Amino acid sequence: FAALTFNLLALYCLGALLSLREGKIVARMSDLFIVRRRGSIAWTAAEGLVVRRVGQPLDVGLSATAAAVWSLCDGRQRVSDIRGFLGEKFPDQHEQIENELPRALAILEQSELTRTSEHASSGYPVLQVATAAFWPGLQERDNPIVQLLARRYSVVLVSPEQADLLLFSTFGAVPAVDPERTLRVFYAPLGLASEQGAAYDVALIGRGESSARHLLLPTWSLYCDWQKGEEAATHPDAGELLTYHPEQVCGRLVAALEACQSPPEAPRAPAVRPSASELRLTLGMATHGDYDGVYFTVQALKLYHPEVLEQAEIIILDNAPEDPAAEPLRNLAKAVPGARYEAFDEYTGTAIRDLVFRLARAPSVVCVDSHVLLPPGVLQRLLTYLERDPASRDLVQGPLLYDDHKSLSTHFRPGWGAGMYGQWGTDPRGTDWDGEPFEIPMQGLGLFACRRDGWPGLNPRFRGFGGEEGYLHEKFRRQGGRVLCLPFLRWQHRFARPQGIPFTNTWDDRIRNYLIGHHELGLDPAPVHAHFQELLGEAGEAAVRARVEAEIADPLFRFDAIYVLSGAAGRVAVRRLGAEPPQSEVERALAHREALERAWRYGFETVLVADHLPTLDEGRGAALDHLWDGAWDALDLASSGVSSKAELGAGVSVAYSRRALAQLLGEIPASPTAVAAWLDGETLTQRLGKRVDLRIVGADGAQAR
């Protein structure tokens, strides 16, 4: 008796300790969000629910409390919210809820039916589904259509009277349907005979004001799993059935379902576009003669992400505004609400993606290639993620999804290969759509995003293709940010170019960009030299290296931008602003104003505007060193002694700092007549010296007004 009493007391104490421990766990989890995992199919049982994850052999039984908790785990409810809801719903069962909630949460997580998150996220909404009149032997929980619905919803199988969605068969003859053609979808309100939809591939019949829908399926769609049972194999139309692929058929059915979830509404007045201050997201893409890519990317964004684009803008940044594709691109931007066309022809290169962030008006920015497609829902999740931390300095990316929609690459592995730094790699953590973000070394730049204020910029001296991967990621880290892979942020990239690429892609540009990037970051360029020596030979690589090293050593290299008004090329990277040099002081002033407008818009710190590119010897170039340390506004290269009038000829070369841009743009008029009156017979530099408070740096480093 004493032993029995002791054992009972020990069990009681153990139970009390476990209850106390579970209570502490719930208390610690109170601020966490609970998210249902994808791929769940549930059905009612005596005490609650039985849940099966698609592809998993075991079923999980849930008590009434656990079933209620599972139904509430939409990713937006904290544990404390769930406890409060259950307490209000069942006020007479408070003690039972407090006891059972910890066990329910533990069972759900251990069974991989839910996961916890520190931040709110988009869960998978519950969809109540019923089936009727299916072919004998085809169980509803094994039905491939139900399994496909479970990819986008948390499916609960119920009776037809309770269903949000009822799947049933016409049981007519199998029609001769071309699997490649578009599905014919029929929508009918309540009261219209469902038989009228039999002539269509899919019919949706509404139930009055409720959210419920009937889905009328053609007979052939019921045999999508013919490989599982004998019924389909013995069907008289089995030969016809075998021409269909289950994933294609069901995928089209699910797409049709999502497109018709809401009943038709009366025509509404066009929505008022949000103002710049109300925009939440900028989506930008740089393009060069790729109208088809831009068209399908933009239209896919509008079709599959309407919930985001109502509060977003789209920037089409055209790097070939003289190309035949330019006019259709302009028209596309006019036709798509919220889209705008921006032309950029100062130089050609992939680094113009920098301007997407410079021109963005929204606080969150996504840059995609002009031939990238995004799965439905990922933009909303991304926007929610970016808005959690307005001060974030992180760069976020996602897995590249290949054409088979199965293979993916989550990151670039550091290392050289085929003239590029970074090789595709896959981290298993990225294969779970709902997985937590994790740090990566780098990733391809087909899609990347950040807060606009956290953008560190691309080197404005880059030209042509390449050099940004790895370089950009290092810049984010150096400003205190992280480089993250968000597993849900999947993107599909078109790699094939049957007609060839419309822009120049040279080894010279690529080597130059890598060397300039290494110079900016203070990295050892030896790996760059070694890799390209393997590709081009020592002599070929040495010739390119010599040109780049001479450019970097040039005193003018340190300017963020150099606008040469005649458009002539030179020994350093210049930007085109015109075909001929100015013929008068009015033309010169207007050209300077245009260059300053661009410099301000693109965020340059220092800019040189010159009729001709000056040649500076070592002594005169040393005078420019004062610009990078002291406070200055403008520098007239001729009057300061940096360059002689003989070297400049009749031209003018003036360096401007960012501090002067806003003041000068407010000072120099925009029209020829107004500029002539503003100059009043003086030269541009004379007028600037009188009307604008400019600190001019002399050759000896002294400052003068």
Side-chain angles (χ1 to χ4, degrees):
F1 177 79
L4 178 60
T5 303
F6 177 80
N7 289 335
L8 290 175
L9 182 61
L11 288 173
Y12 174 81
C13 292
L14 179 60
L17 287 173
L18 289 175
S19 297
L20 180 62
R21 178 178 177 272
E22 289 172 344
K24 289 181 177 179
I25 290 174
V26 172
R28 191 167 63 249
M29 294 175 60
S30 292
D31 292 332
L32 295 179
F33 295 87
I34 310 296
V35 189
R36 281 190 303 272
R37 291 184 181 270
R38 63 195 298 265
S40 297
I41 301 174
W43 57 92
T44 56
E47 296 296 330
L49 290 177
V50 177
V51 185
R52 172 186 299 175
R53 292 195 68 199
V54 176
Q56 297 292 331
L58 299 178
D59 299 336
V60 180
L62 301 180
S63 66
T65 301
V69 172
W70 179 79
S71 67
L72 294 171
C73 297
D74 61 359
R76 297 180 177 87
Q77 304 293 325
R78 292 182 173 87
V79 172
S80 57
D81 299 327
I82 294 174
R83 177 198 283 129
F85 176 84
L86 294 176
E88 293 178 6
K89 187 76 172 176
F90 309 101
D92 57 336
Q93 301 179 29
H94 175 75
E95 184 176 351
Q96 181 180 351
I97 292 172
E98 289 297 317
N99 291 334
E100 293 186 7
L101 181 58
R103 296 186 181 91
L105 292 171
I107 290 172
L108 291 174
E109 186 163 7
Q110 290 170 6
S111 304
E112 297 185 345
L113 297 178
T114 62
R115 64 178 179 84
T116 58
S117 174
E118 294 182 357
H119 308 285
S121 61
S122 300
Y124 293 86
V126 171
L127 182 70
Q128 298 189 115
V129 179
T131 59
F134 270 81
W135 185 257
L138 187 59
Q139 297 182 23
E140 57 186 10
R141 67 197 62 162
D142 295 326
N143 186 286
I145 301 172
V146 173
Q147 293 180 0
L148 269 157
L149 288 173
R151 293 175 180 269
R152 303 188 184 185
Y153 305 94
S154 296
V155 174
V156 179
L157 299 172
V158 297
S159 64
E161 294 76 20
Q162 300 173 301
D164 297 323
L165 180 69
L166 176 62
L167 308 176
F168 60 97
S169 168
T170 61
F171 271 86
V174 178
V177 179
D178 179 1
E180 298 300 324
R181 72 170 175 78
T182 303
L183 280 174
R184 295 175 299 171
V185 180
F186 172 76
Y187 180 85
L190 185 68
L192 193 61
S194 61
E195 290 76 10
Q196 296 186 28
Y200 293 78
D201 295 317
V202 176
L204 296 161
I205 293 87
R207 283 184 176 176
E209 298 300 324
S210 72
S211 61
R213 300 287 179 270
H214 285 172
L215 179 61
L216 182 63
L217 301 178
T219 304
W220 56 265
S221 65
L222 300 180
Y223 301 93
C224 297
D225 66 337
W226 55 82
Q227 297 176 354
K228 293 183 179 180
E230 297 180 358
E231 293 86 357
T234 58
H235 191 278
D237 295 292
E240 183 71 26
L241 295 171
L242 293 175
T243 63
Y244 299 101
H245 298 288
E247 65 276 7
Q248 293 178 356
V249 173
C250 294
R252 293 162 70 199
L253 288 172
V254 172
L257 168 68
E258 291 200 335
C260 301
Q261 273 190 307
S262 301
E265 299 178 355
R268 295 182 297 177
V272 178
R273 292 295 306 172
S275 64
S277 62
E278 296 172 325
L279 287 171
R280 297 173 62 195
L281 183 69
T282 294
L283 284 150
M285 62 198 74
T287 183
H288 191 291
D290 182 20
Y291 174 76
D292 291 348
V294 173
Y295 178 85
F296 287 109
T297 294
V298 169
Q299 298 296 5
L301 289 171
K302 299 296 290 185
L303 285 171
Y304 306 133
H305 306 275
E307 74 283 359
V308 173
L309 293 196
E310 290 180 355
Q311 304 169 77
E313 65 172 347
I314 297 175
I315 297 177
I316 301 172
L317 182 60
D318 189 1
N319 198 199
E322 303 301 322
D323 189 88
E327 188 61 28
L329 286 173
R330 291 189 186 93
N331 294 334
L332 176 64
K334 294 176 183 177
V336 176
R340 57 189 169 105
Y341 174 91
E342 298 278 356
F344 182 83
D345 62 353
E346 294 181 9
Y347 65 87
T348 299
T350 53
I352 72 164
R353 291 183 282 207
D354 179 78
L355 303 185
V356 169
F357 297 83
R358 307 293 185 187
L359 301 176
R361 297 181 296 176
S364 295
V365 186
V366 180
C367 183
V368 298
D369 281 355
S370 60
H371 34 264
V372 162
L373 303 177
L374 306 178
V378 302
L379 272 185
Q380 180 61 64
R381 292 183 68 173
L382 174 62
L383 181 57
T384 300
Y385 180 91
L386 291 173
E387 290 181 339
R388 289 175 192 155
D389 183 6
S392 172
R393 313 288 286 180
D394 296 341
L395 173 67
V396 298
Q397 298 187 258
L400 165 68
L401 189 64
Y402 289 97
D403 292 344
D404 61 4
H405 284 203
K406 297 177 182 178
S407 308
L408 51 82
S409 293
T410 58
H411 64 284
F412 267 7
R413 300 187 309 273
W416 291 93
M420 188 169 184
Y421 184 67
Q423 306 298 305
W424 295 109
T426 303
D427 189 310
R429 292 176 291 178
T431 59
D432 181 1
W433 278 78
D434 298 319
E436 293 292 335
F438 57 93
E439 290 198 51
I440 55 176
M442 52 195 290
Q443 171 66 311
L445 295 178
L447 180 148
F448 56 103
C450 70
R451 297 289 291 182
R452 183 185 61 193
D453 292 342
W455 175 245
L458 295 173
N459 195 306
R461 300 160 190 81
F462 285 173
R463 298 291 184 270
F465 180 89
E468 297 136 59
E469 289 83 0
Y471 158 85
L472 177 62
H473 302 82
E474 178 64 17
K475 292 192 73 169
F476 270 93
R477 292 189 182 94
R478 292 193 178 190
Q479 70 174 11
R482 299 169 297 172
V483 179
L484 298 174
C485 174
L486 308 184
F488 69 81
L489 187 56
R490 305 193 174 193
W491 49 285
Q492 187 172 6
H493 184 282
R494 181 206 67 194
F495 285 101
R497 291 290 190 108
Q499 306 301 320
I501 58 174
F503 53 85
T504 303
N505 184 359
T506 68
W507 289 125
D508 285 24
D509 283 340
R510 195 172 300 196
I511 296 171
R512 178 181 173 277
N513 289 346
Y514 279 122
L515 292 178
I516 288 176
H518 278 60
H519 176 266
E520 177 189 346
L521 298 177
L523 301 176
D524 181 8
V528 184
H529 302 322
H531 179 67
F532 284 98
Q533 284 173 3
E534 294 177 0
L535 292 175
L536 308 180
E538 292 187 8
E541 188 275 336
V544 179
R545 184 204 307 187
R547 290 195 294 271
V548 177
E549 289 177 345
E551 179 181 355
I552 292 176
D554 192 292
L556 299 182
F557 176 79
R558 296 180 69 173
F559 285 103
D560 285 344
I562 301 174
Y563 288 98
V564 176
L565 304 186
S566 66
R571 64 193 179 278
V572 292
V574 298
R575 293 166 180 259
R576 184 160 58 95
L577 200 61
E580 299 294 335
Q583 301 300 311
S584 67
E585 284 300 311
V586 170
E587 291 183 5
R588 179 173 289 111
L590 289 172
H592 274 247
R593 191 183 197 285
E594 182 181 353
L596 297 182
E597 281 182 326
R598 298 188 185 191
W600 178 261
R601 197 178 189 204
Y602 301 154
F604 300 145
E605 294 297 327
T606 56
V607 58
L608 175 65
V609 187
D611 289 9
H612 309 288
L613 192 66
T615 300
L616 306 180
D617 58 29
E618 185 175 352
R620 287 174 173 165
L624 289 176
D625 289 342
H626 298 286
L627 297 184
W628 319 121
D629 301 322
W632 63 285
D633 291 317
L635 169 65
D636 177 8
L637 267 62
S639 62
S640 66
V642 172
S643 187
S644 68
K645 284 291 185 183
E647 291 170 322
L648 293 175
V652 172
S653 294
V654 181
Y656 301 94
S657 74
R658 186 162 184 81
R659 283 185 298 273
L661 297 185
Q663 184 181 6
L664 293 175
L665 288 173
E667 178 72 20
I668 304 176
S671 69
T673 303
V675 167
W678 177 74
L679 289 172
D680 194 22
E682 296 183 311
T683 66
L684 172 65
T685 52
Q686 288 173 336
R687 200 60 178 163
L688 288 176
K690 288 183 177 181
R691 297 296 298 271
V692 183
D693 184 17
L694 298 178
R695 289 184 287 274
I696 306 296
V697 181
D700 58 356
Q703 293 188 357
R705 294 285 182 184

